[in-house]
Amino acid sequence: FFLYILILPVLIDWALPQPLTADLLFAAGVCLIVLLGIRFMKKASWISGILLGVSGAFLYGTKPLGFFVALANFVLIGLVIWRDANIKAAVKKIKFKFLAFSVGVFILVSLPWIVALSYKYQHFTITTSTTLNHALVGPTSPANPLNTSIIPPPNPTAFSSWEDPSNYPIQDWSIFSSPHDFVYGVGLFLSNIAGAAASFNAVTMISVGVFIGLLIYQINMIVRNKFKLQLLDYVTGMSLLIILSYSLVLVLERYIYASILLMTIVAIVSFDKFPVKKFIIKPVGLIVLLVLLVSTYYPAITSLHNSDGIGKLYYLEAKAIKPYIPAGSKITSNISDSIFTCYHDNYRCYGVVTTNNIPADQQTLYETIKSEHIKYFVDYGTIADEPYVVTFYRKYTTFYKTVLVKVPPINAYNVNIYTFN
């Protein structure tokens, strides 16, 4: 109960400061397959097999990484059953039969989406985002093209190229291409591991402590040749798997929400018999309790105080701009945040305009904009920091409207709209 109280403000803090993303849904899906995995290991049946398989397909639907996490989940469940000395061989055989059935359900439910993707790209594929994300973090990779160039939406019904970025003009790389790339790849992995560790706040420090303790214990068991998998090791392994997977590319706090929640589950189970009441009545225990409560509830209270609702800022921007730009219009801007306006107001976003002081390059950029029939440029107030862009818009655009965006209770700012000549 004590740890449940501590995790609640973290969930609030995750949800309010930024728009909800697939990462929260992915985290919920990971927790679901782990909890159903525990149920399956305790009592394997046709029903538990179906639930586990369908939940794995649901996880794949939230993010492409979910497909591989779901497969790893089946492998870990199989290892726990195989290493459980308390299960008779005949019972293990039955559980493995149900596990194979569950994998079949997972593949069957996932298959329509895999077939659709493979048909679209004319080759077998589970996802195209993995290659792109890896390409964007290479040693010589440029910035995300959507944030630095004009890229049209991939089809007539799409709002922006985010809906299918597989055709971005960027090359993938490999750590095995050269010694330099190998060193870079190892450094990237280690820096991402450090970033993951830094993402854990005060409430999850308890979970991290339990997590590290379990790893040290199992390493000791391996050395003594007494290693065996338990349910807590299974949950810990799933948490570690997600961190390691993202560390190959990029780690942001929202990417490892699932790991944080799984570590908390481990901590809750581990501390189930811990004498919390006897601990907190002591001076040291009371101080620890107060520090944890303040450090975990302060960010949540701040988020509640500063937030007017989930994604409200982008909604207010879109509402302010909507009367002046017709639905269906093609727009570009100076920051990628305009994509949220496009989704709210039914515009078609064509990326971000950046340029330099070479007249020939500016003319080419303008010709691209005209060829795409882009009419509006939306300036969110950062254009003054880019003198070359200012020069470009003074030459090729006409001022149209200044829109005041009011953010209660006291904040307000201007958004300038221009039309291309």
Side-chain angles (χ1 to χ4, degrees):
F1 177 76
F2 177 63
L3 290 173
Y4 280 120
I5 291 177
L6 293 179
I7 198 61
L8 176 62
V10 177
L11 296 176
I12 295 173
D13 190 42
W14 283 350
L16 291 179
Q18 57 188 343
L20 288 174
T21 66
D23 300 290
L24 276 176
L25 198 58
F26 176 76
V30 170
C31 290
L32 178 62
I33 67 169
V34 168
L35 293 175
L36 288 175
I38 293 174
R39 172 181 173 174
F40 179 89
M41 286 183 281
K42 289 184 176 180
K43 188 177 181 181
S45 65
W46 297 115
I47 297 299
S48 61
I50 291 173
L51 291 175
L52 186 61
V54 172
S55 65
F58 165 77
L59 185 66
Y60 172 41
T62 64
K63 296 190 76 173
L65 179 63
F67 184 88
F68 305 102
V69 172
L71 288 179
N73 185 50
F74 290 122
V75 172
L76 283 174
I77 290 173
L79 287 174
V80 172
I81 295 173
W82 174 56
R83 297 290 296 184
D84 194 339
N86 297 322
I87 303 179
K88 295 180 179 179
V91 177
K92 285 185 181 182
K93 186 176 181 180
I94 294 173
K95 288 193 174 186
F96 278 122
K97 179 182 71 172
F98 286 128
L99 184 62
F101 168 73
S102 185
V103 174
V105 171
F106 164 68
I107 298 297
L108 184 64
V109 178
S110 302
L111 195 59
W113 182 241
I114 296 174
V115 170
L117 285 177
S118 300
Y119 176 78
K120 177 179 180 179
Y121 295 106
Q122 295 299 299
H123 63 85
F124 177 78
T125 182
I126 295 172
T127 174
T128 59
S129 63
T130 304
T131 301
L132 172 67
N133 291 333
H134 187 256
L136 288 172
V137 297
T140 59
S141 299
N144 191 324
L146 185 65
N147 298 334
T148 58
S149 56
I150 298 293
I151 299 181
N155 59 69
T157 62
F159 291 104
S160 81
S161 61
W162 278 114
E163 296 186 33
D164 184 4
S166 59
N167 292 323
Y168 280 7
I170 186 171
Q171 295 295 320
D172 199 6
W173 63 287
S174 170
I175 62 171
F176 303 111
S177 298
S178 67
H180 174 268
D181 287 353
F182 181 82
V183 173
Y184 173 85
V186 172
L188 175 68
F189 178 78
L190 294 177
S191 65
N192 282 329
I193 291 290
S199 296
F200 291 100
N201 55 27
V203 63
T204 53
M205 283 300 103
I206 298 174
S207 305
V208 171
V210 176
F211 177 79
I212 293 174
L214 284 173
L215 288 180
I216 294 174
Y217 172 76
Q218 289 294 18
I219 290 173
N220 181 52
M221 290 294 102
I222 292 173
V223 172
R224 297 170 61 185
N225 200 27
K226 295 182 178 181
F227 174 71
K228 62 178 181 178
L229 282 168
Q230 304 291 338
L231 291 182
L232 284 184
D233 304 315
Y234 158 64
V235 181
T236 303
M238 288 294 291
S239 178
L240 184 62
L241 171 71
I242 292 168
I243 293 175
L244 294 178
S245 298
Y246 274 117
S247 294
L248 294 172
V249 181
L250 177 66
V251 171
L252 299 176
E253 182 180 347
R254 60 188 174 87
Y255 291 173
I256 57 173
Y257 285 163
S259 291
I260 294 174
L261 291 178
L262 290 180
M263 285 188 182
T264 303
I265 292 174
V266 171
I268 290 171
V269 175
S270 300
F271 281 102
D272 185 45
K273 297 181 180 181
F274 185 76
V276 175
K277 292 183 179 179
K278 294 181 179 179
F279 178 70
I280 62 176
I281 61 174
K282 298 179 181 180
V284 174
L286 185 60
I287 292 173
V288 171
L289 173 64
L290 291 175
V291 170
L292 287 174
L293 288 176
V294 171
S295 61
T296 54
Y297 272 86
Y298 177 76
I301 294 172
T302 303
S303 296
L304 287 171
H305 176 72
N306 294 334
S307 176
D308 293 303
I310 298 171
K312 188 67 174 292
L313 174 62
Y314 301 115
Y315 168 75
L316 293 173
E317 287 179 351
K319 184 178 179 181
I321 294 171
K322 188 173 184 178
Y324 307 104
I325 302 180
S329 296
K330 297 178 180 181
I331 74 169
T332 185
S333 70
N334 56 330
I335 56 174
S336 59
D337 282 358
S338 61
I339 187 175
F340 297 106
T341 299
C342 288
Y343 279 91
H344 279 296
D345 288 346
N346 193 25
Y347 302 144
R348 286 170 61 78
C349 277
Y350 276 69
V352 174
V353 171
T354 57
T355 184
N356 54 37
N357 63 343
I358 302 174
D361 290 347
Q362 294 193 351
Q363 180 63 34
T364 300
L365 176 60
Y366 177 65
E367 290 173 357
T368 300
I369 289 171
K370 295 301 289 184
S371 67
E372 295 285 355
H373 304 289
I374 302 171
K375 185 175 181 180
Y376 296 97
F377 166 71
V378 182
D379 169 26
Y380 286 86
T382 61
I383 191 173
D385 299 327
E386 304 174 48
Y388 299 153
V389 179
V390 172
T391 302
F392 175 81
Y393 282 105
R394 283 177 179 172
K395 184 175 181 180
Y396 294 111
T397 69
T398 300
F399 175 75
Y400 171 53
K401 187 74 177 178
T402 295
V403 178
L404 180 66
V405 180
K406 295 181 179 180
V407 184
I410 58 173
N411 296 330
Y413 59 93
N414 289 330
V415 173
N416 296 317
I417 304 173
Y418 298 81
T419 56
F420 288 102
N421 299 333

